[in-house]
Amino acid sequence: MNTIVERIADFLKEYSPFDHLTFQELSEIAANIRVVNLQKNKTLFQYNDVLHDSFYVVASGVIHLSVIADAEETILNKCHAGAIFGLRPFFAKNNYRMTAKAREETVVYAIPIAVFRPFVANNTEVLNYLLENFATNTPSSTDNENSRGSQISDTLFYTDKQSEMQYFQTLSYNNTPLITTASSTVSEVAQLMAEMRLNSAVVCEATLPIGIVTDMDMSSKIATGRFPITVSVDKIMSSPVITVLENVSLAEAQLLMLKNNVTHLCVTADGTNKSNVKGVVSEHDLIVAQASNPGVLIKEIKRSQTSNELKQIRVRLTDLIQTSIYKNIPLTHISNITSEINFALLKRAIELSILEMGSPPARFAWLSIGSQGRKEQLLLTDQDSILVFEDVATEKYREVKDYFLNLGKKTTLTLEKIGYELCPNGHMASNMLWCKSLTDWIKQYDNWMNTPGENSNNLSSIFFDYELVFGEQKIEDAISNVVFKNANNNTLFFDFLGNDALRKNSPLSFFKKLILEETGPNKDKFDIKTRALMPLIDGARLFTLSHGIKGINNTYTRFKQLAINDPKYSEIYLNCAEAFLTLSKLRTVEGLKNEDSGQFINLEELSKIDKEKLKNALAPMRELEELIKNKFQLTQFS
């Protein structure tokens, strides 16, 4: 036998779960292992990377597993020799939820999942071990040279509030299952299943589940003639029934079906067979859940060839947002996933235009601005973008600009077909004002920022919320350098932006009543965008620019970062962050309900609790307004 293979097999048998396998099995695994050498600080995979086809064991050195939550990096675990990590590809289909980085020179063994999977299916100890680690709810804090096989679940997205397990992997299942008694005949149950179009029936005794009958039982036991159709259903049911809690995740359901070799799980009030039935999870439900899994949607986007295919995916994204809000998944998570899918759609629209037009004549950057640039576009609102191309020789300028204007036009029309309306103010890469060379853009930002009063006709503060969708990172960096250089001690600019932020109408009247629209089609409704969200968005932008905080566009994250950078006022910033989430959620729910932008809210239709939430969320705005006036000494507030 190959000595390297032998050495790896010897190493593995010292650690769990490999100590449950024979030396022959270990040698087969070792023969397929890839040895990966990592330099200090080298990343093996990072948050949101596409899953690898292997999981990993540390052979020597140290791997740190971390996530970035609330604008800070949090170390979840330190993996020493023998530790397994990166189990996510075993059980989930969407991308990595953490980063794995070498803390020193490290060697890891990459074990192909296809090679290892048969050993999992045939060995309960190995499966239980992986199941336990995959479904761990709290990150292990073991930090010890001798901690063998110290684990961390790759399913977690860690925030300081709690670990939300696979937040996008919750399941929809039948919560009005067919319930029958042990004495019912098979023919009666088969008829009910056919009428209700169900593929299972739960057999109960005094409301507690004792077994389950599926269409598989019908075909393998009745259709084959093993039992007559007149027998009572308890003769053919599977028993005991495998039970789970109501909030079962996709991964847990998959594992339980695999482990117990069943196709259905029974959902009960406390997750045991000693409480009432609440529903049934079928294999089909798992397939449906995976189809609306963000990783799957992004893969489909990359394969799409037409705007119509992309439109179908955007419709599924809306369903995903709706389900997630209904399941009370934190809005920050919903926004993160939505913006990844939105960006994949934008990117594919640009790629399809390039495929049609041929290669670009120069390097460029397509930047999303506004709510897309801030990654806050949960609803189908309009598109805002700019295009920056590298400087070219004067004689080529015209031809190059024509190509990019054409690219802008094709792409914005594709995006309109997908469902993103054209920007009514023309803030798009198809507009010759917003499609130009890097030098021209630098002049534009210089003008806006150094003489804001004179050149403010077309200055919209959304031009300071930009995010690269496609193209050269260096071009975006060059724009950022100009913005932050000009922002430094620029009283005139902050005076202009500060007054602009304060000019937004106050949401509450002097008597603390919500100010409603007085005329027009939205009479008597509350404009949550202009009166509540915009002042927070403007305030967050103003303070991040004045503190020189680069690379953070999202309003919620901006406030969280400001609380760290400017601790004296951290309470105001944190209150504003929470208010922004509450208001965004109210607007999104309204928009999904009415299939519009959610801008105008009918207070009559709000529940008492939501009205209270809305009023409470408006309270921090007064403090933010005072802070803006004091920090920037704005007296000419109009």
Side-chain angles (χ1 to χ4, degrees):
M1 183 200 284
N2 179 328
T3 50
I4 296 174
V5 168
E6 206 166 25
R7 213 177 318 139
I8 295 174
D10 274 331
F11 172 85
L12 291 177
K13 75 170 194 288
E14 293 295 313
Y15 299 97
S16 218
F18 308 107
D19 52 0
H20 294 296
L21 300 172
T22 66
F23 193 73
Q24 183 53 46
E25 289 171 325
L26 284 176
S27 302
E28 193 181 323
I29 292 162
N32 288 284
I33 275 177
R34 195 164 43 89
V35 179
V36 182
N37 294 295
L38 298 168
Q39 297 297 316
K40 184 179 178 180
N41 292 330
K42 181 84 176 119
T43 300
L44 182 62
F45 57 77
Q46 55 188 7
Y47 178 79
N48 216 23
D49 274 359
V50 174
L51 298 180
H52 298 178
D53 57 3
S54 304
F55 69 99
Y56 299 97
V57 181
V58 179
S60 65
V62 184
I63 292 280
H64 275 195
L65 299 176
S66 63
V67 292
I68 292 186
D70 296 339
E72 346 175 352
E73 187 171 25
T74 306
I75 301 289
L76 296 181
N77 204 9
K78 299 171 185 179
C79 300
H80 300 277
I84 287 183
F85 66 99
L87 283 171
R88 186 168 187 77
F90 246 110
F91 309 116
K93 297 285 183 283
N94 55 348
N95 300 357
Y96 282 112
R97 287 278 155 265
M98 55 181 61
T99 294
K101 187 191 274 189
R103 278 305 299 135
E104 54 189 59
E105 280 204 20
T106 301
V107 176
V108 295
Y109 294 147
I111 303 180
I113 284 160
V115 172
F116 197 70
R117 189 166 264 132
F119 300 106
V120 179
N122 303 329
N123 193 312
T124 327
E125 277 90 357
V126 176
L127 178 62
N128 282 343
Y129 186 84
L130 297 185
L131 172 57
E132 219 171 277
N133 290 306
F134 187 71
T136 312
N137 263 322
T138 5
S140 150
S141 56
T142 325
D143 178 14
N144 175 336
E145 283 296 336
N146 305 316
S147 77
R148 289 202 162 175
S150 68
Q151 296 298 317
I152 181 71
S153 157
D154 269 279
T155 62
L156 301 178
F157 183 85
Y158 183 78
T159 68
D160 42 3
K161 288 190 195 142
Q162 73 202 78
S163 300
E164 264 109 16
M165 186 169 167
Q166 301 133 276
Y167 44 88
F168 261 86
Q169 295 274 295
T170 48
L171 276 169
S172 296
Y173 50 81
N174 176 16
N175 48 20
T176 51
L178 170 56
I179 291 175
T180 185
T181 58
S183 57
S184 304
T185 66
V186 169
S187 66
E188 289 166 346
V189 175
Q191 198 161 348
L192 284 169
M193 280 167 67
E195 280 169 17
M196 294 169 73
R197 295 188 176 172
L198 295 175
N199 56 16
S200 67
V202 183
V203 183
C204 286
E205 198 171 84
T207 76
L208 304 181
I210 56 166
I212 191 165
V213 178
T214 66
D215 48 6
M216 188 69 85
D217 294 316
M218 295 289 183
S219 56
S220 64
K221 295 169 188 173
I222 302 296
T224 54
R226 279 170 59 196
F227 293 91
I229 200 159
T230 49
V231 295
S232 57
V233 81
D234 59 339
K235 299 285 188 298
I236 70 160
M237 70 184 183
S238 304
S239 181
V241 66
I242 308 300
T243 53
V244 289
L245 275 167
E246 290 182 77
N247 61 353
V248 63
S249 73
L250 173 61
E252 289 167 306
Q254 275 176 322
L255 282 164
L256 283 168
M257 284 186 191
L258 179 70
K259 186 178 171 185
N260 296 290
N261 196 21
V262 294
T263 55
H264 291 73
L265 303 170
C266 182
V267 180
T268 61
D270 69 358
T272 74
N273 58 5
K274 300 285 183 286
S275 64
N276 290 349
V277 176
K278 294 284 188 180
V280 169
V281 177
S282 69
E283 253 181 343
H284 178 70
D285 297 328
L286 302 194
I287 293 161
V288 169
Q290 281 171 330
S292 63
N293 158 317
V296 172
L297 291 183
I298 286 174
K299 271 189 190 142
E300 287 186 26
I301 290 167
K302 288 177 177 170
R303 286 200 297 265
S304 295
Q305 295 299 325
T306 65
S307 53
N308 201 31
E309 286 172 27
L310 293 173
K311 184 180 181 168
Q312 299 311 314
I313 296 169
R314 187 61 184 76
V315 169
R316 278 158 62 194
L317 173 59
T318 302
D319 294 343
L320 185 61
I321 295 167
Q322 198 143 18
T323 317
S324 307
I325 284 182
Y326 170 72
K327 286 183 172 157
N328 246 339
I329 287 164
L331 199 73
T332 48
H333 295 344
I334 301 173
S335 297
N336 287 341
I337 291 295
T338 304
S339 61
E340 286 305 318
I341 295 171
N342 271 328
F343 268 55
L345 286 162
L346 299 174
K347 194 173 176 181
R348 189 62 184 152
I350 299 165
E351 284 171 354
L352 291 175
S353 302
I354 291 173
L355 285 169
E356 194 184 322
M357 291 172 61
S359 298
R363 285 176 297 192
F364 73 102
W366 181 293
L367 304 176
S368 266
I369 56 173
S371 63
Q372 262 176 0
R374 292 190 303 273
K375 299 191 167 178
E376 290 163 4
Q377 194 185 34
L378 286 167
L379 296 159
L380 264 171
T381 51
D382 60 343
Q383 43 173 311
D384 297 283
S385 57
I386 65 174
L387 194 148
V388 189
F389 55 88
E390 66 181 346
D391 292 322
V392 293
T394 319
E395 64 274 15
K396 280 191 169 172
Y397 185 87
R398 192 60 222 242
E399 175 198 333
V400 170
K401 180 158 179 162
D402 282 350
Y403 173 94
F404 286 116
L405 270 174
N406 201 5
L407 177 72
K409 284 178 181 138
K410 271 192 193 312
T411 306
T412 50
L413 286 173
T414 301
L415 292 171
E416 188 185 21
K417 285 176 191 162
I418 296 170
Y420 303 97
E421 287 177 18
L422 299 174
C423 172
N425 303 316
H427 294 145
M428 291 178 298
S430 52
N431 179 336
M432 62 194 309
L433 276 177
W434 314 130
C435 168
K436 49 195 173 191
S437 72
L438 182 56
T439 295
D440 286 349
W441 270 113
I442 288 172
K443 279 184 199 154
Q444 179 74 74
Y445 275 98
D446 279 343
N447 272 340
W448 276 336
M449 296 179 78
N450 297 320
T451 51
E454 300 158 41
N455 293 286
S456 59
N457 310 349
N458 52 20
L459 164 57
S460 168
S461 46
I462 64 168
F463 287 103
F464 296 94
D465 302 334
Y466 48 81
E467 184 78 30
L468 181 71
V469 176
F470 190 98
E472 299 287 321
Q473 181 63 53
K474 282 180 181 168
I475 293 179
E476 187 197 26
D477 294 344
I479 298 279
S480 290
N481 291 339
V482 171
V483 168
F484 284 94
K485 188 185 84 194
N486 280 332
N488 197 14
N489 296 323
N490 188 338
T491 322
L492 201 62
F493 175 61
F494 288 117
D495 196 53
F496 179 84
L497 272 195
N499 277 306
D500 192 49
L502 294 175
R503 216 170 272 121
K504 300 287 191 290
N505 301 328
S506 166
L508 293 169
S509 70
F510 186 67
F511 301 105
K512 296 283 187 291
K513 276 202 162 145
L514 285 170
I515 295 176
L516 307 179
E517 297 299 291
E518 289 177 7
T519 54
N522 298 300
K523 189 175 180 315
D524 297 332
K525 288 184 180 176
F526 178 64
D527 182 348
I528 195 168
K529 178 186 171 183
T530 313
R531 290 186 182 274
L533 286 162
M534 285 316 291
L536 290 171
I537 291 165
D538 289 343
R541 179 194 303 112
L542 174 65
F543 282 113
T544 34
L545 281 168
S546 73
H547 280 279
I549 297 168
K550 284 188 181 180
I552 299 179
N553 295 331
N554 180 271
T555 303
Y556 173 78
T557 320
R558 276 174 167 170
F559 280 127
K560 297 291 272 195
Q561 187 63 49
L562 284 163
I564 297 166
N565 283 43
D566 191 10
K568 188 178 170 191
Y569 301 105
S570 64
E571 201 178 328
I572 297 177
Y573 296 132
L574 293 173
N575 288 341
C576 287
E578 288 311 312
F580 181 75
L581 286 188
T582 304
L583 294 165
S584 300
K585 189 167 182 177
L586 285 169
R587 179 184 178 179
T588 306
V589 169
E590 190 71 15
L592 290 169
K593 187 176 77 184
N594 301 318
E595 293 187 5
D596 61 17
S597 71
Q599 180 170 349
F600 296 96
I601 291 191
N602 185 344
L603 297 182
E604 302 296 313
E605 290 174 13
L606 280 191
S607 68
K608 203 173 174 188
I609 294 174
D610 281 345
K611 269 186 200 158
E612 207 51 44
K613 277 185 185 170
L614 175 59
K615 276 207 163 172
N616 292 341
L618 299 174
M621 288 166 60
R622 192 55 53 85
E623 291 177 305
L624 185 68
E625 192 178 299
E626 287 310 311
L627 190 59
I628 292 172
K629 285 182 190 172
N630 294 339
K631 277 248 179 175
F632 301 102
Q633 280 140 26
L634 299 176
T635 47
Q636 75 273 44
F637 164 54
S638 52

